């Protein structure tokens, strides 16, 4: 039994520092790197790519809406055409910088509102899948289990990864409870490990109404932008491994001399 | 005797339309495509790449400072590290979009203030050369004849192209007369053709003080953002060809079915 | 019988020129000036304010979403709090620049997607009304007749102005037919005058399905961003005046020495 | 003997948090609030204005270059006209938001590279002074002692305030040692207090080469964007007051019920 462990990183911007990327990288296997639209800048992207390369962590693009002040968390009614182009732009930008650090992209995970909209809206989901396929057919496309994004990726011939969230509460419909809701982010490490193990081994999680949700989980997301993120991630990986779960990326970075 | 004919294109942005790109493409051999920092957006980049591909025009990246309101024409004291990363980011973004239209990048020409600063500042010039080399060693780097950018490109092992400006006045030191100076942009087609022929065949041009400047010219730039640009470009190409000059790109787009 | 004639102006941005503002100003009585978020920049705002002052045209703020590439036409799910603050920010910025040209703001008209969302969403409408009232209770708030924005303005104690669109097609529900629909923008001057006269004198307009819509019209909007805009506006004003309609602003700029 | 104590605040942006504004406000008398160009957003501006109002701290505008990724610290060769307009835009935007929180602006302090360029460049200095005067002739203009900005403000009939930096090293020419130089930011509280007292009481400070610089100091700046900023500021104020220096703003916010 194995699982990929991913986190959103590279979300600093200029003088604005966010996250504990270097520390988080020690425990995850896939790094979703912001590409400059909702967070990140070319220098941050390089540094993050370098850290990932050094840690042997797989690097993926984490494209978002061009909404820096809203951190890409606000829905923007962009057309499918616009979404396809902005996603491709961001993938290409990151790929170029990562390549200069000897790192090849392994996956794509849409960010924030774009991720959530594409879970429900097939047109947007298809647009993202087209952008990914156009860039590199071997990239793994991350998405919410059962989402339109997973369907679109599959239809486009891409390898897809259904994503569970280790430290987020689930609404009864399988979507994430909004960040503004109390208890939507779980901070207790033991509970995070317990929920994660159940997701990985049984494909189940308890929703906010107490119901049991069942879905496949190929990769687990743990947040990386708060004070305790690095420690939580370390405990999560240790907890998974202690229970016999192998933590590994879909396409790990090759060893580098 | 042959020459490349280039123009800055893809400078529209969202609802803001600039230039007569589709028309200009009929006469040029190399298109310098804005990459979203000083002009251009992902959708404009795609459209421009498509037009270039259809016209068999070589596509190059035209990276600039992140200064949309200043159109990249204002000097920004970014560090060499920042310049390297922003140039690489822009090249990668354009390359991804162009590739999805079947187009491979052939060259890089820095835009506006970045181009001018890198002509004089070796550190910035080296930064640009590093970004180009990191992305693709076969890209041709455009620069002002005798500039630090040409030196840096050569030192980095890149193929370089010394650029003459068909419709711009030259200061006595070989730099371009500032756009704000009267007569800095030449609109008379006959004069443009005459000056261009002399640059291409004799490597000479008359500066604003009447002195003769001598420098090699591998590619000729003609502006594409005004009303008469397309017609001027057409006349320039015809004038060159009538005098036996072959107009061709360094690395033309392959014919596409 | 009188009517205000307004147009969206000041929508250029840096090197990107849009509209025929100086010409349009000769015929309108209220100028809605973009404030830098969806279009406009500080220099354009100053120039536009100066032209309006010279023409004796009332100046209003035209705040929009922070979406330059989308020209503020894409819905952005900003919170009411965010909308209130961004509207107030934009009003204040324009007011300062206008004041330095001797011009006092007379009205506020939200732009694009913000205008349309606030027509339906009372929370956003209230947010806009709060921003306007906080800045200056004597500002006139423009809105779609019968919209939540008009209700919110009235509830906030503001003077409101119901707006008709001289050259736009109406959907059966009284909203504007989307710009992407064929025939949504009416270019025929005679038809524009005829429809406008009927709106002003009878409060009626024919919708796209042939039905008659009835609503009050205090101000007529005519677009200013296309080639024929200035001439269309001139013809519209002349047509209205020939039929005895007085064209005047709610609060005209005072004569200036 | 009295002194104003100022700090740059409101430098958060969206999800990016910077500084310890609420704590710093307890010790300073003048708050320089970022206006959205180099840092700050409309919501942050409102919150910062509110905190300042509650703490009885005078609020000033802290306009900067439109360079968010560079935090306004990179020189941008904008024209005097552009600088005047962008400064006026930012002052107006902040004034509107502050007014809605019951707070009237008291001063203007340019930020980062704009501050430093205007210290040496009279054209830019005049542009800033014109913007300030156009908005409100009673605003106090902050600047480096003996700088062109102070001269321009005086020539424009503005009240000016010569600023000393409590925790920054000085180059022999009276400019600030660049942030990148080791020792350029002084963290030891005792040294900060000692240097500050000498600046306030004797108008003297020791430069990096050991020489004594002599200049008038009307206001002392202490940085507010690091972990220990609030405590350092508290100690500085206490140290000044213990030595009999009255710490007060030029134009304090009126008590509010």
């Amino acid at each position: 039994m194995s699982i990929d462990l991913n986190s959103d990183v590279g979300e600093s911007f200029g003088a604005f520092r966010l996250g504990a990327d270097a520390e988080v990288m020690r425990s995850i296997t896939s790094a979703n790197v912001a590409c400059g639209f909702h967070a990140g800048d070319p220098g941050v992207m390089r540094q993050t790519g370098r850290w990932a390369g050094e840690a042997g962590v797989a690097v993926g693009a984490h494209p978002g809406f061009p909404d820096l002040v809203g951190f890409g968390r606000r829905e923007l009614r962009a057309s499918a055409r616009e979404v396809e182009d902005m996603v491709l732009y961001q993938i290409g930008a990151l790929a170029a910088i990562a390549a200069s650090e000897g790192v090849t992209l392994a996956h794509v995970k849409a960010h924030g509102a774009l991720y959530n909209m594409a879970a429900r809206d097939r047109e947007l989901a298809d647009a993202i899948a087209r952008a990914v396929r156009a860039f590199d057919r071997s990239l793994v496309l991350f998405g919410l289990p059962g989402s339109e994004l997973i369907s679109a990726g599959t239809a486009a011939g891409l390898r897809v990864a259904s994503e569970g969230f280790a430290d987020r509460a689930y609404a009864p419909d399988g979507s994430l409870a909004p960040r503004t809701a109390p208890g939507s982010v779980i901070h207790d490490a033991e509970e995070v490990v317990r929920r994660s193990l159940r997701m990985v081994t049984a494909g189940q999680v308890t929703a906010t109404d107490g119901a049991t949700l069942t879905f496949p989980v190929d990769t687990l997301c743990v947040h990386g932008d708060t004070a305790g993120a690095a420690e939580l991630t370390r405990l999560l990986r240790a907890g998974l491994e202690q229970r016999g779960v192998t933590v590994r990326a879909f396409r790990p970075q090759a060893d580098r001399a």
Side-chain angles (χ1 to χ4, degrees), chain A residues 125-253:
Chain A
D126 282 334
I128 294 173
R130 276 197 304 273
V132 172
R133 189 182 54 189
F135 188 76
D136 178 353
R137 286 164 189 270
S138 74
L139 292 172
V140 182
L141 178 62
F142 287 17
L144 215 52
S147 66
E148 293 293 342
L149 192 48
I150 291 293
S151 301
T154 303
L158 297 171
R159 178 171 178 186
V160 294
S162 291
E163 184 176 29
F165 289 80
D167 53 1
R168 291 290 298 277
Y170 281 87
D173 68 352
S175 69
L176 297 180
R179 283 174 177 280
T180 46
S184 65
V185 179
I186 303 165
H187 298 286
D188 181 68
E190 283 189 35
E191 192 182 344
V192 168
V193 173
R194 196 164 45 236
R195 286 170 68 93
S196 296
L197 274 168
R198 190 168 166 228
M199 274 193 268
V200 172
T201 57
Q204 293 188 328
V205 73
T206 302
T208 49
D209 68 346
T212 296
L213 302 173
T214 302
F215 49 69
V217 173
D218 304 313
T219 181
L220 266 183
C221 180
V222 58
H223 79 276
D225 58 346
T226 62
E231 177 62 5
L232 180 71
T233 306
R234 193 184 65 75
L235 292 172
L236 174 56
R237 179 165 187 159
L240 289 166
E241 291 180 336
Q242 279 161 16
R243 300 290 284 266
V245 178
T246 302
V247 180
R248 68 171 169 220
F250 298 100
R251 241 171 58 188
Q253 290 295 323

Side-chain angles (χ1 to χ4, degrees), chain A residues 79-159:
Chain A
S79 70
R81 176 90 261 173
E82 290 168 331
V83 164
E84 180 178 346
D85 293 346
M86 75 173 70
V87 167
L88 186 49
Y89 181 103
Q90 293 179 67
I91 295 174
L94 177 65
I97 292 179
S100 79
E101 294 290 333
V103 169
T104 304
L105 298 194
H107 66 280
V108 173
K109 174 181 167 183
H111 170 79
L114 181 57
Y115 182 92
N116 293 327
M117 291 170 79
R120 302 182 308 265
D121 182 328
R122 182 59 185 262
E123 264 196 276
L124 293 187
D126 282 334
I128 294 173
R130 276 197 304 273
V132 172
R133 189 182 54 189
F135 188 76
D136 178 353
R137 286 164 189 270
S138 74
L139 292 172
V140 182
L141 178 62
F142 287 17
L144 215 52
S147 66
E148 293 293 342
L149 192 48
I150 291 293
S151 301
T154 303
L158 297 171
R159 178 171 178 186

